[in-house]
Amino acid sequence: MAGYDAAAIEKKWQDTWEANGTFVQPNPGEDGFVDRPKLYVLDMFPYPSGTGLHVGHPEGYTATDIVVRYARMKGFNVLHPIGYDAFGLPAEQYAVEHGVHPRETTAGNIANIERQIKMFGFSYDWSRRIATTDVDYYRWTQWIFLQLFDSWFDPQVRAARPIEELIHDLEAGRIHVDSSGDLVYPTSAERWPAMIVGHRDGTLTFGELSHDQQRAVIDGQRLAYMDDVPVNWCPKLGTVLANEEVTNDGRSDRGDFPVYRRAMRQWMLRITAYADRLLEDIETVNWPEPIKIMQRNWIGRSQGAEVDFAIDGHEGEIIRVYTTRPDTLFGATYMVLAPEHPLVDVITTADRRPAVQAYVQTAAHKSEMERTAEAKVKTGQWTGAYAINPVNDKKIPVWVADYVMMGYGTGAIMAVPAHDTRDLEFAEQFHLPIVQVVEPPEGVDWRGYVGDGIAISSGRFDGLATEEFKAKITEWLEEQGLGKGAVNYKLRDWLFSRQRYWGEPFPIIHCPQCGLVGVPEDQLPLELPEMEDFRPAISDDPDAPPAPPLGKATDWLATTCPTCGGPATRELNAMPQWAGSCWYYLRYLDPGNSQRFCDSDVERYWMAPSDANPSGGVDLYVGGAEHAVLHLLYARFWHKVLFDLGHASTVEPFGKLFNQGMIRSFAYRDQRGVYVGYDDVDLTGDSPRHRETGETLSESVEKMSKSLKNVVNPDTVIAEYGADTFRLYEMFMGPLEVSKPWNIQDVPGVHRFLQRIWRMTVGDDDVALLITDPPGCAEIEVLLHKTIKKVGQDIEAMKFNTAISAMMEFVNAVFKTGRLTRDQAERFVLVGAPFAPHMAEEIWQRLGHDRTLAYESWPAYDESLLVEDTVEWPVQVNGKVRGRITAPAGATDEDVVAVALTNPNVAAAVEGKAIVKTIVVPGRLVSIVVK
RNA sequence: GCCGGAGUGGCGGAAUUGGCAGACGCGCAGGAUUCAAAAUCCUGUCAGGAUCACUCCUGGUGUGGGUUCGAUUCCCACCUCCGGCACCA
C-alpha cells in the first residue's frame, strides 16, 4: 500500500532542504546573491524553556512560513531567520533548583526546541541561527550597551549624541549647569528667568565645578546611568524584579516569594528621553491599532502645569505640584504629599510628627502592589502644616497620603475634591471641604464631575470654558513666576540591572579614581566567568544587602582601570532578559560579522523601506500580543539610539507587526471541580464523561496550562498526522489574529483533505486515478484560476483559513468531475506548497520534476476567464428575496427588472401593488419596492 | 473604574465591508462499497411550518431601539466573555 506516508515524506524533504541549503539566503555582495526585491519576515524568537514548544509557537511560525514560501515563488529575496532568547531568570532558576549549570540546561533546552521547530519543516535560513547566550552575540549586546553609556540625549536636536560632544559643549561654555546638576542652555537663557520657579539660583559653567562634580554631571546625562531608585527586591531570589515579574499580591512570579519595595543603586536606561519620539513615530508604522493604543497609554503623555504653593511659616520652601487641570486651582481645598516626599519631614509640626512618621514607615514597607491593592480605602495623615493657594491666598492643610506616588509628576498634588474622583473619596473620608469650580452640562451632578465645563467661583476667570481657562491660567502663572506649562509621562526609565548570574555582564569597570569606565571596545567580549557556585545570596531579611553571584568570582572581578591603570573592580550586576531581544533582528542580517554588529550595506538592503512598508524595518513581524508593550517599546528605543548614532538606517525597527491570537483548549472538570486530563475524557456521547466513573464533566475553554490538564503537545499530533496536517490545521482553525480553541476532533478533517490531494495526484498504489489527458475540463480550469487568485490574495492578507477552504473547494470539484490534467495538477500543487510543503515537494517530484518547487514561479491566472457572462441575480421585493433570475452580467437595469418581473414568485409578490422604486446592483441583485 | 477586542447552527468558523446569512471543516443522519469493520465515495444537515413533490412560507447573526428598498455589517442604549492598564493627579 503506497498511500500518503507523512512521516517518511517529511523526513525526506527536511533532509533534502538541509543538505541542499535550499533556504539559505545570501546577502548582497555574497556569492549567489541575485538583485531582486527583498522581504524580511521575522518571528518573535522563542525562549527555550524546559517544557519545549507549545502549540502557540508554530501558529505564528506557520503563518510566516506560508508568507515567505509564497514570496520566494513571487520572486523575492527572503530573509527568514530564527534563534533563541536564552538568558534569563527561568533558565537560571531551573538550574539553581536542579543543581545544573545554566549553560547546560540552556544548551539542552535549545537542542530540544530546535528539534521541535525542525519537525514542522519551516523554511528558515538556519545558517543565520543565533542565541542571545552565544559569546559572539552578547559581545555586541555589550557593545550596544556601551553606545548607550557613551551617549547623552540632546534635547535641542531631540537625539542621542556621543558624550564627548557634551563634554566639548560644556567645556566651551555652550552649556551651563544649574545648582542641581541639570544642564542649562544659554541660548534659551533669556527666557529662563521668567521660568525659574522655586529655589533655583542661577547657573555655573563647567569649569567652575570640581572634578567630581564634573563627572557627576556627565554621568547624570548618559543614556545608561546609575541611580538610587525604588525597586522590587526579592530577598529569596536575591535579585530585583521587574514589575511584570511581581504578582498582584506582591510576590515573585517565579517561586512565589515575598517582594519588598526598597531603594537601591541600579543601572537605568533613559528611555523617557525618547518618550515623544516613541509616541510620534508609532503613527508611521503599520501595526494593529490596539497595540498602538497600548503603547500610547503606556507612555502616557499628559499636558498640564507645574504650580508652586508657598508653605505657611516656611519662608523659602515651596510645594511644587503637577496638575492637568490648572483650571481647577480655585477648587483646591487641601494638598497631598507622597510619603517619600522630602518636605514631609521639614513641614510636619511637632504634635503631628509621631502619627506622620508612623504612617510614612508603614507606607515605605508596602510594595507598590500592596498600596494599589488596598485602593478602596484611602489613608493619610495631616502634617499640621498649611500651604497658600497662590490664586486666592487661602490657607489649605497639607496632608501626606499614599494615594500620591513619589514617582509621578512632582510627588505632590493640589487636591480638588469636587472634580477628581480620588480627591473626592479622600475628602469625604477625612471631612475636608469640597468646593465646586466647574459647572457641568445640564443634569449632571457637579460632585465628582471630571469632564470639561464652565468655570465658576474662580474670580475673574469665571465663565471660561475648560480648555480656554487652562491656556489663560498657565499664561498667568508663568507671568507671575508661580508656575509653567509642563508635560508628564507615565513611562519610567528602564531598570536595567539584575543581581543574577545568567545574563550579559555589564562591560563596566568601577575605578576609585576615574569612577565608571566602559570596557574598551577591543577588549570585548567580556565573558561570563565560569563559576561552580552561581547561586545568588538569598535571605529572609528584606533589608539584606544585595550580593550578586558575580561577586564570588573574585579572579574575574578584580581588574585594572583602562583609563588610569590602577586597581579596579568589574560591575557585578547582569543585564535583564530583555537586553538580547532588543536588537536580535539586526544580528540576523549579518550573524557571522566579527567586525561590527552588522554590516551597514547589508543593513540598508534588508531594512530598506518599500511601497508596502513605507517606514522601513522588518517587513513583517509576527508574534503574540503579550509583547505589545515592553519588548516592542524597548526594541524601538534601542533602535532609535542606534539610528541617532548612525548605526541603523531606519527610524523604526518593525514596519509591520501582526499579532497572532492565543490558542486555548478545552478543559474538563468533574463535579468536585477537579480537572480531568484528556486521556480520561470520553467524548463519544452527548456530553463529555469520565471514562472510568461515567460522571458527566463540565467543559470550558481555557488557556493551556499544566494545572488545567489541557496542554496539547505538538510532538504527539505530528507523530499521529504529520507536520503538514498540523500546519494546515492551525491555519484552518480561524483567523490568525483571534484566539481559538484547539479541538483535536477537527484535526482528521484537514488530514483527510491532504489525503484527497494525494489520491487525486499520486493515487493509491501510484495510480493517479483522476489525472486525465488534455484538454481536461473547462470548469475545472476556470475554478483553478479562481483558486490561484483567491489563495494568493488571501496569503497577502494573512487570511489563511479562507485560502485553505478555497483549495478544499477545488479538490471537491475535481472529485466531482473526476478529471484533472497533469498541467492542472502541477499548478494546484504549487498553490498548496506554502501550506503543506513536504507533500507538495513529494508530489512535484513524482510528477516528474527533479528540482525543488521552492523557487518555481507562482502560477498565473487569467482574469478574463473569471468574468462570467451570465449571472444569477436574486430578486428582492420589499427587502425579501422572492426569486432568482438569470441574466447577462452587463444587462441594463431596465432589462434586468423586466426579466425579474417575469419570475412567477416575484410577479406574485408584486401582484396588485404599485412599484415605487427599483434598485439594481450590477451583477449582484435586483430590489423592487412596492406599496 | 478606564482603554481595547469579540458575541453568527451541536462545534471551529465564512460572508466581496450596506446586497442571497451559515462557504469550508468537524460532528451527526442516511446510502454505496464490504462477509463484516476500518478506510473511501455519494447525499442530507439553522429552527419551525406547508407540500406527494420540484418547491414555498415564517423566524433567525448577544438584548432592546433607530437609519435604510435592504443591516452580521452603520448609529444609540444595554448584557456577557476575553485582553490590557489600574490611585498617573
Side-chain angles (χ1 to χ4, degrees):
Chain A
M1 173 72 194
Y4 167 45
D5 181 354
I9 291 171
E10 288 169 6
K11 174 86 172 65
K12 168 182 166 185
W13 287 100
Q14 285 165 17
D15 291 349
T16 307
W17 295 328
E18 184 154 359
N20 296 345
T22 305
F23 303 114
V24 173
Q25 169 63 55
N27 274 338
E30 288 179 355
D31 283 352
F33 179 80
V34 182
D35 192 18
R36 292 190 295 190
K38 62 91 188 183
L39 195 74
Y40 184 2
V41 178
L42 179 66
D43 291 307
M44 286 186 187
F45 65 170
Y47 188 88
S49 72
T51 50
L53 282 189
H54 60 81
V55 293
H57 287 114
E59 188 193 18
Y61 301 165
T62 303
T64 52
D65 195 55
I66 292 168
V67 170
V68 298
R69 285 176 181 271
Y70 173 73
R72 287 192 197 98
M73 296 171 85
K74 295 287 268 187
F76 284 84
N77 283 335
V78 167
L79 182 63
H80 189 45
I82 189 76
Y84 308 103
D85 183 18
F87 271 133
L89 200 52
E92 184 175 11
Q93 198 60 19
Y94 181 89
V96 167
E97 284 159 15
H98 293 79
V100 198
H101 195 278
R103 190 169 297 286
E104 283 174 43
T105 56
T106 301
N109 290 348
I110 288 179
N112 182 46
I113 202 169
E114 185 156 310
R115 174 192 62 78
Q116 288 185 302
I117 291 173
K118 287 190 167 173
M119 290 189 315
F120 292 94
F122 299 131
S123 59
Y124 293 119
D125 178 351
W126 284 100
S127 73
R128 295 173 186 261
R129 189 198 95 138
I130 54 169
T132 55
T133 45
D134 293 343
V135 177
D136 283 343
Y137 182 88
Y138 73 70
R139 160 199 188 142
W140 297 107
T141 310
Q142 291 172 329
W143 180 83
I144 295 173
F145 177 83
L146 286 176
Q147 300 298 307
L148 290 154
F149 180 69
D150 286 329
S151 306
W152 66 298
F153 188 85
D154 181 350
Q156 294 191 306
V157 294
R158 301 211 312 155
R161 290 171 58 195
I163 197 88
E164 298 90 63
E165 295 182 17
L166 171 65
I167 299 172
H168 257 106
D169 285 352
L170 283 163
E171 285 172 346
R174 285 193 287 272
I175 301 176
H176 292 189
V177 177
D178 72 12
S179 61
S180 52
D182 291 336
L183 304 185
V184 178
Y185 298 82
T187 44
S188 58
E190 297 87 61
R191 288 184 289 120
W192 195 255
M195 293 166 70
I196 289 178
V197 280
H199 51 257
R200 289 185 201 265
D201 52 8
T203 66
L204 298 165
T205 62
F206 198 54
E208 292 172 286
L209 301 178
S210 73
H211 186 72
D212 283 354
Q213 285 173 325
Q214 289 183 344
R215 200 161 68 203
V217 166
I218 294 161
D219 285 349
Q221 290 298 318
R222 296 177 188 274
L223 292 182
Y225 63 99
M226 291 196 84
D227 199 10
D228 284 302
V229 287
V231 296
N232 303 303
W233 169 245
C234 180
K236 274 286 193 189
L237 289 173
T239 185
V240 301
L241 296 173
N243 283 335
E244 60 279 2
E245 292 167 334
V246 182
T247 61
N248 282 330
D249 45 351
R251 301 180 77 85
S252 65
D253 195 33
R254 180 83 208 191
D256 197 35
F257 303 122
V259 174
Y260 302 90
R261 202 79 187 145
R262 146 172 194 198
M264 283 171 63
R265 192 156 178 82
Q266 297 291 314
W267 281 97
M268 304 293 290
L269 298 188
R270 202 178 302 282
I271 190 172
T272 51
Y274 281 83
D276 276 330
R277 279 173 58 190
L278 290 167
L279 205 51
E280 288 160 17
D281 293 343
I282 194 96
E283 304 304 329
T284 68
V285 292
N286 181 5
W287 287 18
E289 197 54 39
I291 303 294
K292 290 186 175 187
I293 291 169
M294 281 163 74
Q295 290 224 342
R296 285 190 207 110
N297 291 344
W298 191 266
I299 295 167
R301 187 182 200 274
S302 74
Q303 186 116 31
E306 286 184 357
V307 186
D308 291 347
F309 285 64
I311 305 165
D312 193 34
H314 288 269
E315 201 67 23
E317 296 284 3
I318 51 125
I319 298 174
R320 178 169 298 175
V321 302
Y322 173 73
T323 176
T324 56
R325 292 298 299 272
D327 61 297
T328 60
L329 255 168
F330 287 85
T333 56
Y334 66 101
M335 318 253 325
V336 183
L337 302 178
E340 303 87 351
H341 197 286
L343 280 179
V344 171
D345 216 35
V346 179
I347 64 171
T348 300
T349 55
D351 55 324
R352 299 293 309 149
R353 194 163 289 272
V356 169
Q357 271 178 349
Y359 183 77
V360 169
Q361 283 288 316
T362 4
H365 276 98
K366 282 195 234 172
S367 72
E368 193 145 335
M369 297 299 170
E370 280 177 291
R371 272 204 201 180
T372 52
E374 297 162 2
K376 290 293 150 216
V377 191
K378 295 249 182 314
T379 58
Q381 288 290 335
W382 180 40
T383 61
Y386 290 91
I388 314 287
N389 188 337
V391 294
N392 55 16
D393 291 331
K394 281 196 179 136
K395 274 170 62 170
I396 56 177
V398 181
W399 286 65
V400 52
D402 67 2
Y403 82 93
V404 172
M405 305 286 155
M406 196 59 218
Y408 184 80
T410 60
I413 61 155
M414 64 171 203
V416 184
H419 306 296
D420 182 284
T421 318
R422 298 147 304 182
D423 295 346
L424 180 62
E425 272 176 40
F426 191 84
E428 282 174 341
Q429 184 137 351
F430 294 100
H431 309 290
L432 291 157
I434 299 164
V435 176
Q436 182 194 7
V437 288
V438 178
E439 186 65 29
E442 279 278 333
V444 179
D445 186 7
W446 63 266
R447 285 176 73 96
Y449 176 73
V450 297
D452 288 1
I454 303 298
I456 59 165
S457 310
S458 297
R460 59 207 174 76
F461 296 99
D462 279 356
L464 287 179
T466 301
E467 275 314 303
E468 204 185 346
F469 192 169
K470 282 185 188 175
K472 285 253 164 72
I473 189 130
T474 306
E475 205 177 293
W476 181 83
L477 288 166
E478 286 185 16
E479 280 166 18
Q480 302 295 310
L482 292 169
K484 60 173 192 217
V487 169
N488 253 296
Y489 304 90
K490 286 196 225 175
L491 183 69
R492 293 280 89 93
D493 273 344
W494 174 9
L495 172 65
F496 196 67
S497 41
R498 299 296 131 93
Q499 292 69 47
R500 301 294 292 203
Y501 172 72
W502 197 231
E504 299 86 347
F506 281 75
I508 292 288
I509 291 164
H510 295 259
C511 171
Q513 299 305 315
C514 312
L516 297 171
V517 183
V519 171
E521 256 180 57
D522 58 12
Q523 289 175 29
L524 295 180
L526 172 60
E527 291 197 40
L528 254 184
E530 278 308 321
M531 293 176 73
E532 281 292 309
D533 180 13
F534 50 84
R535 288 152 197 272
I538 58 169
S539 160
D540 291 317
D541 175 10
D543 296 319
L550 289 178
K552 289 186 272 188
T554 44
D555 291 348
W556 178 85
L557 70 87
T559 185
T560 52
C561 172
T563 309
C564 70
T569 55
R570 296 194 184 279
E571 168 68 36
L572 300 180
N573 284 308
M575 297 188 202
Q577 204 194 319
W578 305 103
S581 61
C582 272
W583 73 283
Y584 73 115
Y585 58 94
L586 290 169
R587 188 61 180 171
Y588 282 140
L589 305 177
D590 197 10
N593 196 325
S594 56
Q595 303 304 308
R596 268 181 69 75
F597 74 103
C598 83
D599 179 82
S600 3
D601 288 339
V602 170
E603 188 270 340
R604 267 193 295 276
Y605 176 75
W606 288 113
M607 299 291 278
S610 66
D611 291 347
N613 174 14
S615 66
V618 173
D619 295 293
L620 176 64
Y621 190 25
V622 175
E626 66 271 24
H627 297 112
V629 178
L630 295 173
H631 160 61
L632 289 169
L633 203 61
Y634 292 158
R636 291 180 65 215
F637 161 53
W638 278 38
H639 194 88
K640 285 179 189 303
V641 175
L642 291 172
F643 172 80
D644 289 351
L645 300 176
H647 300 307
S649 64
T650 64
V651 171
E652 285 287 327
F654 313 120
K656 178 172 180 175
L657 175 74
F658 195 99
N659 284 120
Q660 82 220 32
M662 204 192 313
I663 294 185
R664 300 186 295 169
S665 69
F666 293 102
Y668 298 94
R669 254 182 298 184
D670 66 18
Q671 258 123 46
R672 292 168 302 158
V674 176
Y675 285 95
V676 179
Y678 290 154
D679 289 347
D680 293 323
V681 179
D682 176 10
L683 292 170
T684 53
D686 293 345
S687 54
R689 286 175 184 282
H690 196 288
R691 235 181 251 289
E692 271 150 40
T693 64
E695 188 186 347
T696 307
L697 304 172
S698 72
E699 183 185 80
S700 57
V701 174
E702 311 278 356
K703 226 179 206 172
M704 285 189 198
S705 127
K706 262 188 233 162
S707 61
L708 307 181
K709 296 192 178 168
N710 66 339
V711 175
V712 179
N713 184 335
D715 292 29
T716 55
V717 180
I718 289 184
E720 190 168 355
Y721 296 100
D724 282 337
T725 297
F726 187 103
R727 294 166 55 114
L728 212 58
Y729 172 63
E730 288 213 341
M731 293 301 100
F732 187 63
M733 289 170 82
L736 186 63
E737 67 274 16
V738 307
S739 100
K740 317 158 272 275
W742 179 282
N743 187 353
I744 194 68
Q745 295 195 73
D746 286 341
V747 177
V750 286
H751 188 65
R752 219 167 308 184
F753 165 62
L754 288 178
Q755 285 178 316
R756 278 160 77 88
I757 295 176
W758 182 265
R759 228 174 287 124
M760 169 176 105
T761 52
V762 177
D764 292 327
D765 298 317
D766 294 344
V767 181
L769 296 173
L770 298 183
I771 292 201
T772 55
D773 293 328
C777 168
E779 277 168 50
I780 290 294
E781 183 65 17
V782 169
L783 185 58
L784 180 58
H785 282 247
K786 264 191 193 164
T787 307
I788 293 167
K789 179 181 182 183
K790 169 85 175 151
V791 172
Q793 280 179 344
D794 280 355
I795 291 175
E796 286 172 32
M798 312 269 292
K799 290 166 68 173
F800 308 106
N801 53 331
T802 49
I804 293 167
S805 56
M807 290 188 281
M808 286 173 167
E809 285 178 79
F810 178 80
V811 171
N812 289 347
V814 171
F815 268 76
K816 204 154 282 179
T817 61
R819 299 175 68 196
L820 183 74
T821 66
R822 167 174 298 268
D823 173 63
Q824 287 169 337
E826 289 191 353
R827 279 177 286 157
F828 180 72
V829 165
L830 291 177
V831 169
F835 297 83
H838 309 91
M839 169 185 266
E841 289 271 26
E842 181 67 22
I843 297 175
W844 186 249
Q845 190 181 59
R846 286 172 187 243
L847 288 173
H849 299 274
D850 51 12
R851 272 189 14 216
T852 174
L853 52 62
Y855 296 92
E856 290 294 321
S857 291
W858 184 256
Y861 63 89
D862 181 354
E863 193 74 51
S864 68
L865 275 180
L866 307 183
V867 183
E868 289 168 59
D869 302 338
T870 56
V871 281
E872 199 184 61
W873 306 61
V875 182
Q876 293 184 347
V877 179
N878 283 353
K880 282 192 182 358
V881 178
R882 295 296 167 177
R884 271 152 237 287
I885 56 162
T886 313
T892 64
D893 292 5
E894 293 75 29
D895 291 349
V896 182
V897 172
V899 177
L901 290 170
T902 64
N903 179 290
N905 252 322
V906 174
V910 173
E911 175 81 58
K913 293 177 180 148
I915 295 175
V916 180
K917 194 175 171 185
T918 59
I919 297 138
V920 176
V921 185
R924 292 218 147 277
L925 145 148
V926 183
S927 185
I928 299 168
V929 188
V930 297
K931 220 175 179 173

